[in-house]
Structure formats: structure tokens, C-alpha cells
Amino acid sequence: MEEALRSFFLRLAQNQAMIGWAKRYGLRFGANRFVAGETIESAIAAVAELNRQGIAVTLDHLGEFVADEAEARAAAAYCVKTLEAIHTASVDSSLSLKLTQLGLDIRRELCLENIRMILDAASAYKLWVNIDMEDFSRCQATLDIFRELAASYDNVQTVIQAYLYRSLDDVRDLAEMGASIRLVKGAYKEPETVAYPDKADVDANYIRMLDVHLPSPGLTSIATHDEQIIDYAKRTIAEQGIAKDKYEFQMLYGIRTDLQQALAKEGHPVRVYVPYGDDWYGYFMRRLAERPANVEFVLKGVIHS
């Protein structure tokens, strides 16, 4: 049943009619639990509140799979606008983005031009940029661009997904180059030819990736709500004496706030991924696919809308 629900919501995430409806009518059906509004102002307010709790943030102006060059350039400009807002408000936040939002599927050179403009602005403000990983078909292109950027910028990291068979080798390569990475389990629907179908295998691969990257020179962002993995990471960090500037726990806005606050109170670095914007629908559907228990909030939203 859970796998059927996951497949259902992942199909909905790609439904163009529903995406258009969502942009037209705004946040609905409990989505505002997971998305910090549609404007920069609402996002910065959410960042400031989390900062008051001792929690850092990475902001993401939602969007992906742009249709043309003008749209890609507009998305890049909005990323720079977000960086400016973070700087102006003096809040503790980095920026997350997707390369398809910047034109990866249109032209590689366009994407590189856009991401370099963003990284230049981030460097000027002394801010970090996280390049999110997308589906498997874009994995290699994303890593190739990341490696090219990491040779010139020291304020960029990328994401590795534990459910892909290739990921452990990717982590080994990135650890060797001292790259900073964000480790996640993965939220896209992938075939068994490229991804582990069973949760137990994904969890085991996540642990293996942690073991490889935690001792490396780069920052290890441990992005999970899985308490068993978090406990394992805490033990490893303590046993190996890993410094606080070499790791952080990351979680999603609106999910397990109790755990976020508990980790922060224990003195661990904690960062929350805070998405915002009107292109919220695909992200929201993936959160429902990831954890079908979240459907309860959708039903409450339908009842009270």
C-alpha cells in the first residue's frame, strides 16, 4: 500500500495540468506546512524564526524543468535576489537550487553561465550554494558541473542520493577531492536497474556513505529524519572527534521540528531546508510520496479549505 501511494504521488508530481493549477491558485491542501509561503518576505520571516531557535537554513526558490532561455535567466536572477535578501536581513541561510531551473536541459553553457553568476554573488556575500540532485538521468551532468565549479569556488556543495547504486563510488571520489556534500536517501521514482528498491538497502548504503565522507576534509550534511541513522552519525562523530564545522544535520521545513530542536539543544549544527515560491506543487507531491503519513495533513487541508 505504501509503495502504491508513493508511486501515485510521484506521478502527480509530474502532472502538468496540476502544476498549472497549483501556480494559479496558490498554496493549498496543507502545502504551507512544508513550504514557507510564495514570497521572499515570507521565506525570510521563516528563516529568522528558525535562527531564533539556533537553527540555520538553506533557502530554495522552488522551480525546475524550465521551458526556455528567458525563463532560466529569470530563475537565476531570482536566486541572486534571494541571496541579496539573505544578506540584507543578516540571517543565517545558504541557498539551494536545481540545475534544470537554470537551463540544464536547454543548454549546458547557459546553465553554467547562470550558476557562475549565482556563485559570484554568493561569494561576494560570503554565502554557500547547494546544488540539489535531481533524477538519475541528470545525475552525471550535475556531478560534472559540480566538479568544474568546485575547482573555482569554495562555497558550493552538491547532493548524493543513497538509493542509487552508483552513489558510494561517487562519495568516495568526492571525499578524495575534499568536496562538501549533502547526503539524502532520494525522493524520485527510479527503476531497479539504477536504484535500490528496498528501504533496508538504501539505509545501509547511507551508512556506508557516512563512513566514507565524515572523516574527509569537506562538510558532511547529514540530511535525514531517520533517528537510527542520526544516532549512528552522532556516535561516529563522537568516536572520531569530528569538529562541528565539518558536519551538520539537515531536515526539511515542517517535518520533525521536535527532532530539529532537540539536536540543536544538544549542541549539534542543524540546518533546515526551507522552500518557497509559487512552483511548490512538485516539491509537495514528493514530500507526500516520501512519507505517506503526511497525507493526513492534506486531508485536513481539504476539509478546512
Side-chain angles (χ1 to χ4, degrees):
M1 178 62 179
E2 186 169 314
E3 185 57 34
L5 276 173
R6 173 177 162 80
S7 297
F8 172 71
F9 284 116
L10 287 175
R11 284 195 299 272
L12 281 182
Q14 299 176 354
N15 187 295
Q16 293 302 311
M18 291 297 290
I19 291 170
W21 175 89
K23 285 186 176 181
R24 180 178 179 184
Y25 292 105
L27 292 169
R28 292 290 188 276
F29 306 144
N32 57 0
R33 177 184 174 88
F34 308 105
V35 179
E38 297 180 272
T39 66
I40 288 181
E41 291 76 18
S42 62
I44 293 295
V47 175
E49 176 56 34
L50 284 162
N51 287 174
R52 282 191 286 272
Q53 300 170 32
I55 296 171
V57 169
T58 184
L59 267 182
D60 183 1
H61 181 243
L62 292 169
E64 51 194 300
F65 310 124
V66 298
D68 55 44
E69 182 170 329
E71 196 175 354
R73 293 192 185 280
Y78 210 96
C79 285
V80 172
K81 186 178 179 181
T82 302
L83 290 167
E84 291 170 350
I86 292 168
H87 174 73
T88 300
S90 298
V91 291
D92 185 357
S93 180
S94 57
L95 174 74
S96 285
L97 52 80
K98 288 181 171 62
L99 292 184
T100 55
Q101 186 182 19
L102 304 180
L104 179 64
D105 292 349
I106 299 170
R107 187 162 45 87
R108 187 179 191 273
E109 293 74 17
L110 169 66
C111 180
L112 269 172
E113 180 183 340
N114 283 333
I115 185 63
R116 286 185 183 279
M117 178 181 73
I118 293 164
L119 283 168
D120 286 339
S123 296
Y125 296 134
K126 296 181 171 56
L127 298 174
W128 273 75
V129 173
N130 174 71
I131 298 175
D132 282 332
M133 188 59 70
E134 302 180 64
D135 61 11
F136 179 78
S137 67
R138 297 170 177 87
C139 180
Q140 189 61 54
T142 299
L143 288 176
D144 288 344
I145 287 175
F146 170 73
R147 288 188 178 94
E148 183 172 341
L149 295 169
S152 304
Y153 297 92
D154 60 3
N155 61 333
V156 62
Q157 74 171 164
T158 194
V159 175
I160 299 295
Q161 300 163 316
Y163 67 178
L164 296 180
Y165 300 137
R166 62 171 288 168
S167 290
L168 185 58
D169 287 335
D170 288 333
V171 169
R172 288 191 181 110
D173 291 342
L174 293 168
E176 188 173 339
M177 64 180 276
S180 295
I181 63 173
R182 180 175 187 254
L183 300 178
V184 304
K185 291 191 179 182
Y188 292 87
K189 181 68 174 175
E190 302 288 4
E192 292 185 20
T193 52
V194 301
Y196 293 105
D198 296 329
K199 179 182 181 298
D201 292 326
V202 176
D203 292 351
N205 202 39
Y206 197 111
I207 293 293
R208 289 191 290 268
M209 295 194 308
L210 269 181
D211 287 341
V212 169
H213 203 269
L214 272 173
S216 75
L219 174 71
T220 305
S221 296
I222 307 159
T224 181
H225 304 96
D226 188 321
E227 291 190 63
Q228 289 186 321
I229 290 178
I230 290 170
D231 287 343
Y232 178 86
K234 287 163 64 176
R235 289 194 302 272
T236 303
I237 288 162
E239 290 167 1
Q240 298 187 16
I242 294 170
K244 289 184 179 180
D245 63 349
K246 293 299 181 184
Y247 78 93
E248 63 184 16
F249 290 101
Q250 290 195 359
M251 297 186 191
L252 300 175
Y253 182 69
I255 300 178
R256 291 305 309 269
T257 55
D258 57 332
L259 187 53
Q260 296 169 17
Q261 293 166 0
L263 285 166
K265 287 177 181 176
E266 289 173 9
H268 294 289
V270 179
R271 186 176 300 274
V272 169
Y273 176 94
V274 175
Y276 79 100
D278 63 0
D279 197 3
W280 54 269
Y281 175 77
Y283 173 84
F284 182 41
M285 289 298 108
R286 287 196 291 274
R287 296 294 74 77
L288 297 180
E290 211 169 51
R291 190 169 181 265
N294 288 330
V295 175
E296 174 186 350
F297 300 111
V298 177
L299 294 177
K300 288 180 180 177
V302 172
I303 291 168
H304 297 294
S305 64

